[in-house]
Amino acid sequence: MTGFGKSVKEYPGKKITIEIKSLNSKQADIAVRIPASLRQHELEMRNVIADKLVRGKIDLSVSIESRSGEVSQKFNIPVMEAYKAQIQQAAAQLGVPEPGSDWLSMLMRFPDVFHVETVADADESEVNAAMEALGDALDALTSHRRAEGKKLEAFFTVRVNRIAELLSMVPKYEGERTARVRARMEEGLTKLSGIDYDRSRLEQEMFFYIEKFDINEEKQRLAQHLTYFLDTMQAPGAQGKKLGFIAQEMGREINTLGSKSNHSDMQRLVVQMKDELEQIKEQVLNVL
């Protein structure tokens, strides 16, 4: 969801510059800095942004530059004259010299020597120019987001395919794992000398024990989640939250594989799967 967009619009006497950037966030968190002349249109701008960008921590900055030579602050000459007269009167009464040629720098230190012109509301042409610039900036930001999205799509595809490759390596250890469990149980029984036991009952208990370590369902569900993740990336609209949920489900199945593996080589595969999945979880936050 990261991105940046900028647009500049010029119209008679003024130039409007709009910059907008977005960072990751679960909701639409919009902060705006706009001139007072456009303040009454802030809600309209927010609605346009929320509709276009859906979610993210979004910062909007709007500046209006005058090209006609006018300034918003002007010297308050009557106030400065009054200050000067008071200083001259005080100097005469106190018998001290006047400031001389440095009057201006002294008067600039006093309050109210600047007069701020009242900012009028933007007229229709200024509002239209601002909204057009906002649209262009949003288009630029969206384009930036799409470029980032293409990179993330390639990244996720590599990671998901890597997990699928590791999952395909699990079956070659399953037969060996079952044989090891059976051999370990039989070895333990041989150490119980002088104790008679029911062989058929032992077989039943062994099947029950081995069944607890069966991972076929976990493998199937993980494979389905991997396919679902890739399919969801191709779906239209904002799919970031859904991809995050799928990644969580993938994590559950991988964790269960690890707890049931009971085999060092399978556990190594699980660790590698977790490493790939963590990379996916870190970057899925960048998806809209």
Side-chain angles (χ1 to χ4, degrees):
M1 290 180 289
T2 59
F4 176 80
K6 181 178 180 179
S7 177
V8 178
K9 290 291 180 183
E10 295 188 14
Y11 65 101
K14 293 183 180 179
K15 180 176 77 171
I16 295 179
T17 302
I18 291 184
E19 295 182 350
I20 184 168
K21 66 179 180 180
S22 68
L23 299 173
N24 301 329
S25 181
K26 293 182 179 180
Q27 290 83 30
D29 181 11
I30 305 173
V32 299
R33 295 187 301 278
I34 60 178
S37 61
L38 291 173
R39 186 66 63 185
Q40 63 178 334
H41 300 279
E42 178 181 339
L43 182 59
E44 181 182 359
M45 289 183 168
R46 285 179 175 272
N47 291 335
V48 171
I49 294 171
D51 183 62
K52 185 79 171 180
L53 301 184
V54 183
R55 63 191 179 102
K57 182 175 176 58
I58 301 160
D59 288 320
L60 170 69
S61 174
V62 181
S63 64
I64 301 178
E65 177 185 346
S66 176
R67 304 175 67 85
S68 60
E70 297 180 357
V71 293
S72 59
Q73 288 187 334
K74 296 182 180 180
F75 286 114
N76 197 335
I77 303 299
V79 171
M80 297 176 75
E81 289 177 342
Y83 279 133
K84 182 180 180 181
Q86 291 184 49
I87 294 172
Q88 290 174 329
Q89 182 181 0
Q93 292 178 359
L94 297 173
V96 296
E98 297 180 5
S101 61
D102 200 22
W103 276 105
L104 185 59
S105 62
M106 172 175 284
L107 294 174
M108 292 280 288
R109 301 181 188 139
F110 290 100
D112 301 325
V113 296
F114 287 103
H115 174 68
V116 180
E117 296 288 337
T118 302
V119 179
D121 291 337
D123 57 23
E124 184 177 358
S125 62
E126 185 174 337
V127 173
N128 291 338
M131 297 305 295
E132 184 179 352
L134 176 61
D136 292 344
L138 287 172
D139 289 341
L141 187 147
T142 302
S143 178
H144 190 279
R145 276 184 166 184
R146 287 198 183 100
E148 291 294 319
K150 289 294 183 182
K151 295 178 182 178
L152 287 175
E153 181 182 1
F155 175 85
F156 289 142
T157 301
V158 171
R159 303 277 80 79
V160 169
N161 288 338
R162 177 56 180 161
I163 294 176
E165 179 184 349
L166 293 168
L167 181 61
S168 68
M169 298 167 63
V170 169
K172 70 178 182 179
Y173 300 112
E174 288 188 78
E176 180 184 349
R177 181 187 64 144
T178 303
R180 285 185 179 181
V181 171
R182 186 185 184 98
R184 190 162 58 248
M185 293 178 68
E186 290 180 340
E187 181 182 354
L189 288 171
T190 58
K191 296 179 180 179
L192 300 175
S193 59
I195 298 178
D196 189 21
Y197 60 89
D198 186 347
R199 187 73 182 179
S200 62
R201 178 63 178 175
L202 172 63
E203 292 289 343
Q204 292 177 7
E205 292 296 332
M206 189 175 295
F207 284 134
F208 175 76
Y209 181 77
I210 293 175
E211 188 175 315
K212 290 175 61 177
F213 290 90
D214 181 70
I215 58 173
N216 285 324
E217 290 187 8
E218 287 75 13
K219 290 190 300 180
Q220 292 174 3
R221 285 195 293 264
L222 179 55
Q224 291 171 355
H225 293 331
L226 295 173
T227 301
Y228 190 28
F229 191 97
L230 294 176
D231 292 342
T232 303
M233 283 200 301
Q234 304 301 323
Q239 300 294 336
K241 290 184 178 179
K242 184 183 289 187
L243 291 175
F245 295 146
I246 298 172
Q248 291 178 10
E249 294 301 319
M250 290 162 58
R252 290 190 180 95
E253 302 305 331
I254 293 174
N255 287 334
T256 306
L257 279 174
S259 63
K260 286 186 173 183
S261 62
N262 202 26
H263 189 283
S264 59
D265 291 326
M266 284 180 61
Q267 288 172 339
R268 291 192 188 97
L269 294 177
V270 168
V271 170
Q272 294 178 62
M273 289 183 197
K274 288 183 177 181
D275 179 50
E276 300 294 339
L277 182 61
E278 282 303 309
Q279 296 182 58
I280 290 176
K281 287 182 176 180
E282 288 176 4
Q283 294 301 324
V284 81
L285 298 174
N286 293 315
V287 182
L288 182 59

